[in-house]
């Protein structure tokens, strides 16, 4: 089995789905001849032609809106937004149409759309090139939000996302693109959306982390008897796996790259409080980014959840 | 020609009658949906929709009563949705502003002006790729032109030579603000004509004129694959939202309305039919049929049970019941 990084795994998932289904089309700024900012679509333009791998005008709202139209009326578009911070002009389209066209039409229309975008820190560039605003999209009913943490997960989840009948926001950690290599099967396999993965079993603390934070969390738990869970899909998230782990350990630390206030960790924390309060030995803790725009690279380490901050949280919760 | 004019009149009258029924019953407060009325724009919408035909696809705005009825003639569905009844296929989740009826080619409407134009361009792309010959007509108001996504969509459609007609229902106001207070240019059609598309304009309230213009647009599109832009002027009779006149609001004088009302599209077409030798008795018969259809639809909707409260949770994702 070949070893791949996440860029190669995503590229392969796109290629295989395009071979399998002629309705799958790609569009975005520079995704065609150029192959995209992060080279995700490299080679696909020459394989499938300009009709299926389209360079669009520099217009996020227009390109996402067009992708929604394509999805609702017969195609399966995968749109790329160059950086998550560039998605904001298209939020109108995502919230006003993609998220609710099924509900609004009472199921007569569906929107099998995937929007892929790199998120989070990774290229030492401030704020709009390093956003982690997943919580915004988790809040809006009608959108699924998927965050792979490894090349294997990325391929299986992206394949599922393309085949899913509903709109999926697929968040790719820029930091992870070329950080990890692992064995990824060629040919078809899928990982179900809405299902979490217990990455390592443990008895004393449940640690929940997604995307690039998972890798830091795995470093940080060394020496603790921690169960580490990767939700993989944030909306709808796998309550069952998370709650059963929490009921076992009674201690929870949630780790997110995004700013703390109103982040997805807050939703997890609230769900745990509602459904597993009496199993808790102490407060649900969050280790998160700062409530500020991501600063320049020199301050990035101060902003990001570090292994040290995670361990302080583990030590804190172990006092209960 | 007489038959075409009769058919156009029947549709104009159907739209007008349905909206008049709304005005009668809306104060009873059983239709709990904000109403953006189409009064005044009937010729524009009926002319384009009739030329487009059953196979064409229509996207509209929050002001789409006329477009929905002109395209579908389904007044049962229309009123049951306004009353949010179980019998509506949308189960009261669309309301006046988000009507849709895919089986009639009425593809959906949006309350965010211009946001549907890129969706319409995407649908046109899907049609082109599927080679199904369908043409999309996307209606929008002149206020939508102020939005960036109008220009993004026009640009993309011209670049990709998409089979879409952009129809500007130009009533001169973005809610209350006139075009002269919003635009850094004098003529929208002149600006759009610098794009690679066919441009048409009219200020006629004669549905036959609009129909002929739209038919011409469709023919040119079929001959030379390029999008079309139509700037069709009309006058909004009522307030932006609601069923009343609003001349006391001070942003427009009543005589402006009166000048346009002289050439009201329904009256213009009726007078023309009489001139063409259609008898008064025949017109009365057409009108009586339409009146009966609309009254029946309203009664059916009023009698139907309300949509079940569980509908509030349904339809978010496919897995839902």
């Amino acid at each position: 089995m070949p070893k791949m990084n996440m860029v190669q795994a995503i590229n392969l998932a796109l290629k295989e789905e395009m071979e399998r289904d002629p309705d799958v089309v790609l569009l975005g700024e520079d995704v065609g001849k150029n192959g995209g900012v992060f080279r995700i679509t490299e080679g696909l333009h020459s394989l499938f032609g300009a009709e299926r791998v389209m360079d669009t005008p520099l217009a996020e709202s227009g390109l996402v809106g067009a992708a929604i139209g394509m999805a609702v009326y017969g195609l399966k578009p995968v749109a790329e937004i160059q950086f998550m911070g560039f998605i904001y002009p298209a939020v109108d389209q995502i919230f006003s149409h993609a998220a609710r066209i099924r509900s609004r039409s009472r199921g007569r229309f569906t929107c099998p759309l995937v929007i892929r975008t790199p998120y989070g820190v990774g290229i030492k560039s401030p704020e709009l090139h390093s956003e982690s605003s997943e919580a915004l999209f988790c809040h809006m009913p009608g959108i699924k939000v998927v965050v792979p943490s490894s090349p294997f997960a990325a391929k299986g989840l992206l394949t599922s996302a393309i085949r899913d009948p509903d709109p999926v926001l697929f968040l790719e950690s820029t930091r992870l693109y070329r950080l990890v290599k692992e064995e990824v099967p060629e040919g078809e396999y899928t990982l179900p959306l809405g299902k979490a993965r217990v990455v390592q079993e443990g008895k004393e603390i449940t640690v929940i982390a997604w995307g690039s934070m998972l890798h830091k969390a795995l470093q940080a738990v060394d020496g603790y008897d921690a169960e580490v869970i990767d939700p993989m899909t944030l909306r709808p998230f796998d309550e069952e796996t998370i709650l059963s782990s929490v009921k076992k350990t009674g201690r929870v630390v949630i780790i997110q790259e995004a700013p703390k206030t109103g982040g997805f960790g807050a939703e997890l924390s609230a769900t745990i409080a509602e459904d597993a309060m009496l199993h808790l030995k102490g407060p649900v803790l969050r280790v998160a980014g700062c409530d500020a725009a991501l600063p320049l690279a020199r301050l990035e380490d101060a902003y990001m959840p570090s292994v040290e901050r995670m361990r302080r949280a583990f030590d804190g919760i172990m006092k209960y | 020609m007489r038959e075409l004019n009769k058919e156009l009149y029947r549709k104009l009258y159907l739209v007008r009658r349905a909206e008049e029924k709304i005005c009668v019953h809306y104060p009873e407060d059983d239709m709990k949906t904000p109403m953006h009325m189409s009064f005044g724009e009937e010729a524009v919408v009926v002319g384009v929709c009739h030329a487009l035909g059953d196979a064409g696809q229509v996207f509209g705005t929050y002001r789409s009563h006329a477009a929905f009825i002109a395209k579908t003639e389904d007044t049962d569905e229309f009123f049951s949705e306004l009353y949010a009844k179980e019998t509506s296929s949308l189960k009261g989740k669309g309301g006046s502003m988000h009507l849709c009826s895919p089986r009639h080619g009425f593809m959906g409407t949006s309350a965010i002006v211009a946001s549907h134009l890129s969706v319409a361009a995407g649908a046109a792309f899907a049609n082109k790729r599927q080679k199904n010959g369908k043409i999309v007509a996307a209606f929008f108001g002149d206020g939508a032109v102020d939005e960036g996504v109008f220009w993004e969509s026009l640009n993309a459609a011209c670049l990709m030579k998409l089979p879409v007609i952009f129809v500007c229902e130009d009533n001169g106001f973005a809610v209350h603000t006139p075009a002269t207070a919003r635009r850094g240019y004098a003529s929208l059609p002149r600006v759009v004509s610098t794009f690679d598309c066919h441009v048409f304009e009219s200020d006629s309230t004669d549905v036959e004129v609009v129909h002929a213009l739209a038919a011409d647009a469709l023919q040119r599109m079929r001959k030379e694959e390029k999008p079309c832009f139509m700037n069709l002027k009309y006058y909004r009779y009522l307030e932006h939202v609601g069923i009343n006149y609003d001349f006391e609001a001070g942003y427009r004088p009543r005589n402006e309305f009166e000048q346009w009302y002289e050439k009201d599209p329904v009256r213009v077409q009726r007078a023309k039919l009489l001139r063409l030798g259609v008898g008064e008795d025949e017109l009365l018969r057409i009108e009586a049929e339409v009146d009966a259809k609309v009254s029946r639809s309203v009664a059916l909707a009023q009698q139907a049970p309300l949509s079940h409260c569980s509908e509030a949770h349904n339809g978010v994702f496919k897995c839902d019941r």
Side-chain angles (χ1 to χ4, degrees), chain A residues 156-177:
Chain A
L157 289 167
L158 182 56
T159 305
S160 295
I162 292 171
R163 296 180 189 182
D164 197 89
D166 288 308
V168 178
L169 180 66
F170 194 84
L171 300 178
E172 303 162 1
S173 161
T174 47
R175 189 166 157 269
L176 289 187
Y177 269 147

Side-chain angles (χ1 to χ4, degrees), chain A residues 22 51 54 59 61-62 65-66 69-70 73-74 92-93 96-97 102-106 108-109 142-144 165-166, chain B residues 59 89-91 93 98 100 102 107 110 112 115 118-119 122-123 125-126 129-130 149 152 155 311 315-318:
Chain A
E51 276 233 320
M54 287 165 274
S61 185
M70 293 175 192
Y73 308 105
D92 175 14
Q93 299 293 330
S96 304
H97 296 297
R102 174 187 289 283
S103 168
R104 182 186 286 159
S105 68
R106 198 52 186 76
R108 271 158 191 76
F109 287 126
I143 304 168
K144 294 178 180 172
D166 288 308
Chain B
F59 287 79
S89 62
L90 303 182
K91 309 285 183 200
K93 298 188 85 168
H98 296 294
C100 85
M107 311 307 276
S110 171
I112 305 298
S115 69
S118 56
V119 178
F125 181 93
R129 181 163 165 74
Q130 290 163 352
V149 72
E152 295 182 29
N155 178 52
E311 286 299 335
V316 177
F317 291 128
K318 178 133 197 273

